[in-house]
Amino acid sequence: MSPNRPKNHRSTGRITLNDVAHAAGVSPSTVSRALRGERAVDPELVERVLSVSDKLGYVPDPAARALASQRSDHVTILIPLLSNTLFVDLLEAAQRTLRAAGFQTLMGVTHYNTSEEEQLLREQLHHRPAGMLITGLDHSPTTQKLMARSNVPCVHLMDLPEVNHPIPPDVLEGGAADAGPYCVGFRQTDAGEAMTQHLLSQGKQRIVFAAAQLDPRVMQRLQGWRKALKAQNLYDPTLEWLNPAASSLALGGVMFEQIMKQSQAVDAIFFCNDDLAQGALLAALRLGIAVPHQVAIAGFNDLTGSDQMWPPLTTVRTPRAQVGEAAAQMLLQLMHGETPDQPQLDLGFHIIARQST
Amino acid sequence: MSPNRPKNHRSTGRITLNDVAHAAGVSPSTVSRALRGERAVDPELVERVLSVSDKLGYVPDPAARALASQRSDHVTILIPLLSNTLFVDLLEAAQRTLRAAGFQTLMGVTHYNTSEEEQLLREQLHHRPAGMLITGLDHSPTTQKLMARSNVPCVHLMDLPEVNHPIPPDVLEGGAADAGPYCVGFRQTDAGEAMTQHLLSQGKQRIVFAAAQLDPRVMQRLQGWRKALKAQNLYDPTLEWLNPAASSLALGGVMFEQIMKQSQAVDAIFFCNDDLAQGALLAALRLGIAVPHQVAIAGFNDLTGSDQMWPPLTTVRTPRAQVGEAAAQMLLQLMHGETPDQPQLDLGFHIIARQST
DNA sequence: CTGAAAGCGCTTACAG
DNA sequence: CTGAAAGCGCTTACAG
């Protein structure tokens, strides 16, 4: 009954697994197994251990657990930016899901920078994360090597492999086969194509594609736009406005002004992200250019405020919260040694037609 | 020279402190002390240890270190929301500073909810954080008790104590005195008052204060607004529009419409946050209400896009990135056992006058 | 199904 | 200033 804890010179006041074992009258090994829900423990003992541990207010020490098991309860999530709400939504959804399952989320911001990504990955790997969420499928060879070598389960966010390679069933049944890369997202190319087709269906003929940042997913949207225009023989390279600078409302305004000044007879502009499109809408107000009458404007992602713009912005709604949650769920399966039934999960997208087009 | 590591059944491939000790021909204790920059180590040995450790690519195991020292390299940061860019800026600046000093940032989102905050705090405390950053000075008794009992150094963000109690020097010199609460921010009340005075100086007479969320800092801005109006005998309780709902662009639009419909002769509206004010500006466009001619609109925080609005938004620029960085710096001092020279750091604010007023 | 024992990789009194 | 030893609080082969 009494804890009877040996008072050594380095004792912390903490209630330990040993205390629980003594109080429950079993060995520490049994407590450890019972607490982690390992089978092969007498159900009666499990119940006793759980009740005693609860009564004592026992909380396992994550550091001790990590040291002994060589695995922490950390999950690393690597995102490009915090200034695009898209990634904040992703982060929040993933974190909520992971936390409910008892995992700690550690966030790293790569700034779309390969060497920052590698550096962050190295740092995180030293903490032996239990799992990993990483934005995109495009990574440096070093990053890929580090991830593969680490043996840490990983799910990629917001993107899917270009072509869907269905895994042959016999390979899957072997169990040893790698079904990866695991990813949850949607087809960026298709989304770019769909928005372009929407504009075409409204009778637009000269549709500009205006983009900043130029990360791989933006470039896929560009491909979709090209494909749709080429199918109608409306493709013209001068309709491409690609700016590698960081995306922002202000840049959207600047690009809009440039496009309206230099391009002839443009009747629609498809921006690769809503912040650019919102900035363009505000610049149009400033410049007295009527949207959509003089020029239609479309965006991408349906970010906060796009429905509040004047006129409200036509855009592509992307399932980022769902991606965050589903990816976390998939990672949870992987961390528990299970095999996700769908290694590549396509969550789709929706064209949201508002008054800016 | 040769590692000569005992090959036991649980060996991980990892290079350990022991390996470094062998290779450097010193004891593990010395390596440990040298690596952590403890004084009382022969400089020559320090150099040797550092060089060997570097050559071997040794990386200390955070879990082992945490277990042995009862202190991790985690710093917890608790913020109310991720949907207000204010807090994202805070987070990013703090994380950057902390990371450069070798600390991991763990973020918790409280949603302005007392019990969520307590729950997060409890979870975080089990990880023995080395330090803590927490938004605001207003916390439940439970939260305060948990924090005090934990003995984890803590810096509060974005707020300062109502009255500045200068610490008597003799108390400070005693060393044992508590100079806390440590905080970095600015005077919310003063900022609310300053913006109101700015509007008054432009000849506005009936100035509405429109707020959502109603967290403690918003209520302080309200106090500042009241003070400024009362000083001019212009205070009228019907000018207060307080909505406890979450702040958003859409809500700003709704509130603006309500205010314009029900209040008489309002000539200015001071919104407690830029997202509300931006929403109001957009609603004004929709409704055909001229800003600032029919009504002036002001916001708070100078968030992304406020300078891009039409008309550009008059607002209060708050030093959130600086707060994040300075708070992290102060926490770093505390974690190293030093005493910050200024326990309460006031970073001020600026009135940014644009065309919406 | 259960337990005794060793071990994870560090830090830190303690003794010199 | 340096080192041998104990200890942090868990997990996990191994033996029964």
Side-chain angles (χ1 to χ4, degrees):
Chain A
M1 252 307 108
S2 71
N4 197 25
R5 205 183 315 149
K7 298 273 189 296
N8 56 58
H9 65 296
R10 294 185 67 185
S11 163
T12 63
R14 192 163 184 140
I15 292 158
T16 70
L17 182 142
N18 249 302
D19 299 333
V20 177
H22 283 171
V26 295
S27 76
S29 333
T30 299
V31 174
S32 172
R33 290 191 270 248
L35 254 31
R36 281 173 300 118
E38 235 182 47
R39 54 199 143 216
V41 178
D42 187 323
E44 198 183 318
L45 285 189
V46 173
E47 198 178 342
R48 176 140 47 110
V49 167
L50 252 40
S51 124
V52 167
S53 136
D54 211 71
K55 195 177 307 163
L56 261 44
Y58 169 68
V59 181
D61 183 325
R65 184 168 267 184
L67 181 58
S69 70
Q70 302 294 326
R71 191 128 282 201
S72 74
D73 63 355
H74 291 347
V75 170
T76 295
I77 178 167
L78 257 32
I79 56 179
L81 289 177
L82 237 23
S83 55
N84 188 338
T85 48
L86 158 66
F87 299 119
V88 175
D89 293 346
L90 212 49
L91 169 65
E92 186 154 34
Q95 165 144 285
R96 188 181 326 117
T97 309
L98 258 8
R99 178 168 168 246
F103 288 91
Q104 283 275 348
T105 305
L106 289 176
M107 166 200 62
V109 180
T110 68
H111 300 102
Y112 286 112
N113 181 316
T114 302
S115 68
E116 279 197 62
E117 182 170 271
E118 288 174 11
Q119 185 51 35
L120 281 164
L121 190 58
R122 260 185 257 272
E123 288 173 20
Q124 292 298 329
L125 255 20
H126 295 146
H127 283 256
R128 311 180 199 282
M132 188 123 201
L133 254 23
I134 184 166
T135 307
L137 282 164
D138 50 302
H139 303 289
S140 73
T142 307
T143 293
Q144 290 184 11
K145 204 187 307 165
L146 284 171
M147 290 183 41
R149 213 179 269 170
S150 74
N151 232 4
V152 173
C154 175
V155 177
H156 301 259
L157 306 169
M158 295 305 286
D159 209 349
L160 298 173
E162 274 297 305
V163 187
N164 203 350
H165 295 295
I167 317 287
D170 51 7
V171 174
L172 265 184
E173 309 213 60
D178 191 20
Y182 295 103
C183 46
V184 180
F186 61 94
R187 305 219 166 271
Q188 304 273 350
T189 310
D190 291 1
E193 188 180 358
M195 175 55 88
T196 309
Q197 283 167 342
H198 173 74
L199 294 170
L200 288 169
S201 77
Q202 296 190 315
K204 308 301 176 191
Q205 302 265 66
R206 287 187 59 78
I207 305 171
V208 162
F209 184 81
Q213 193 62 64
L214 310 186
D215 63 84
R217 287 167 298 289
V218 164
M219 297 316 272
Q220 289 176 46
R221 292 168 209 160
L222 169 65
Q223 293 302 339
W225 167 86
R226 281 181 186 157
K227 187 174 167 200
L229 288 196
K230 284 180 177 168
Q232 303 294 324
N233 258 319
L234 291 172
Y235 176 71
D236 172 354
T238 70
L239 293 172
E240 294 184 5
W241 289 73
L242 306 181
N243 190 328
S247 193
S248 73
L249 283 170
L251 180 60
V254 170
M255 290 182 79
F256 177 74
E257 200 167 340
Q258 291 176 336
I259 293 167
M260 294 311 286
K261 215 173 271 173
Q262 296 178 28
S263 289
Q264 325 148 334
V266 163
D267 52 18
I269 307 175
F270 174 14
F271 285 96
C272 74
N273 197 40
D274 272 10
D275 55 0
L276 292 174
Q278 290 179 8
L281 246 22
L282 293 165
L285 287 169
R286 205 153 49 226
L287 299 168
I289 295 176
V291 175
H293 308 297
Q294 282 179 258
V295 63
I297 292 182
F300 201 99
N301 277 330
D302 196 23
L303 300 182
T304 305
S306 287
D307 60 335
Q308 296 298 310
M309 284 291 129
W310 189 243
L313 180 66
T314 292
T315 187
V316 180
R317 179 171 297 160
T318 54
R320 44 203 186 273
Q322 294 89 320
V323 168
E325 184 182 334
Q329 297 286 11
M330 191 184 282
L331 184 60
L332 249 16
Q333 289 193 285
L334 290 169
M335 294 188 297
H336 291 145
E338 301 159 24
T339 306
D341 26 54
Q342 240 182 306
Q344 282 92 38
L345 189 57
D346 185 349
L347 259 30
F349 57 86
H350 292 283
I351 300 290
I352 307 291
R354 299 201 183 100
Q355 287 92 297
S356 70
T357 58
Chain B
M1 250 306 105
S2 71
N4 198 24
R5 202 183 317 148
K7 297 275 189 295
N8 56 58
H9 63 300
R10 293 185 68 184
S11 161
T12 64
R14 192 159 183 143
I15 291 159
T16 71
L17 183 142
N18 249 301
D19 298 334
V20 177
H22 283 170
V26 294
S27 77
S29 332
T30 298
V31 175
S32 172
R33 290 190 271 248
L35 254 29
R36 279 172 302 117
E38 239 182 42
R39 54 199 144 215
V41 178
D42 187 324
E44 196 183 321
L45 284 190
V46 172
E47 198 178 341
R48 175 140 48 111
V49 167
L50 252 39
S51 124
V52 168
S53 137
D54 211 71
K55 194 177 310 164
L56 260 45
Y58 169 67
V59 182
D61 183 326
R65 182 168 267 183
L67 180 59
S69 69
Q70 303 295 327
R71 192 129 281 201
S72 74
D73 64 353
H74 291 346
V75 170
T76 294
I77 178 169
L78 258 31
I79 56 178
L81 290 176
L82 237 23
S83 55
N84 188 338
T85 48
L86 158 66
F87 299 118
V88 174
D89 293 345
L90 211 49
L91 168 66
E92 187 154 32
Q95 165 145 280
R96 190 182 324 115
T97 309
L98 259 8
R99 179 168 168 246
F103 289 91
Q104 282 276 346
T105 305
L106 288 177
M107 165 201 62
V109 181
T110 68
H111 301 100
Y112 286 112
N113 182 315
T114 302
S115 67
E116 278 197 63
E117 183 170 90
E118 289 173 10
Q119 185 52 34
L120 280 165
L121 190 57
R122 259 185 257 272
E123 288 173 20
Q124 293 298 330
L125 255 21
H126 295 146
H127 283 256
R128 312 182 198 282
M132 188 121 199
L133 254 24
I134 183 166
T135 307
L137 282 165
D138 52 303
H139 303 289
S140 73
T142 308
T143 293
Q144 290 182 11
K145 203 186 307 162
L146 284 170
M147 288 182 43
R149 211 178 273 170
S150 75
N151 231 4
V152 173
C154 177
V155 176
H156 301 259
L157 306 169
M158 294 309 283
D159 209 350
L160 298 173
E162 274 298 304
V163 188
N164 204 350
H165 296 292
I167 317 287
D170 52 6
V171 174
L172 264 185
E173 308 213 61
D178 191 19
Y182 296 103
C183 45
V184 180
F186 61 95
R187 307 220 166 270
Q188 303 274 350
T189 310
D190 290 0
E193 188 180 358
M195 176 54 88
T196 310
Q197 282 167 342
H198 173 75
L199 294 170
L200 288 168
S201 77
Q202 297 190 311
K204 307 301 177 189
Q205 301 266 65
R206 286 188 58 81
I207 304 171
V208 162
F209 184 82
Q213 193 62 63
L214 310 186
D215 63 84
R217 288 166 296 288
V218 164
M219 297 316 272
Q220 290 176 46
R221 292 168 210 163
L222 169 64
Q223 293 302 340
W225 167 85
R226 281 182 186 156
K227 188 173 167 202
L229 287 196
K230 284 179 179 168
Q232 303 294 324
N233 258 320
L234 290 172
Y235 177 70
D236 172 353
T238 69
L239 292 173
E240 294 185 5
W241 289 73
L242 306 180
N243 190 328
S247 194
S248 73
L249 283 170
L251 180 60
V254 170
M255 290 182 79
F256 177 74
E257 199 166 342
Q258 291 177 338
I259 293 168
M260 294 310 287
K261 216 173 270 173
Q262 297 177 27
S263 290
Q264 325 148 336
V266 163
D267 52 17
I269 307 175
F270 174 14
F271 285 94
C272 74
N273 198 39
D274 271 10
D275 55 0
L276 293 174
Q278 289 180 8
L281 246 21
L282 293 166
L285 287 170
R286 206 153 47 226
L287 299 167
I289 295 176
V291 175
H293 309 296
Q294 282 179 258
V295 64
I297 292 182
F300 200 99
N301 276 330
D302 196 23
L303 301 182
T304 304
S306 287
D307 61 334
Q308 296 298 309
M309 284 292 128
W310 189 244
L313 180 66
T314 292
T315 187
V316 180
R317 180 172 296 161
T318 55
R320 45 203 186 275
Q322 294 88 320
V323 168
E325 184 181 334
Q329 297 285 12
M330 191 184 283
L331 184 60
L332 250 15
Q333 289 193 285
L334 291 169
M335 293 188 299
H336 291 144
E338 300 159 25
T339 306
D341 27 52
Q342 238 183 307
Q344 282 92 38
L345 188 57
D346 185 350
L347 259 28
F349 56 85
H350 292 284
I351 301 290
I352 306 293
R354 299 200 183 99
Q355 287 92 296
S356 70
T357 58

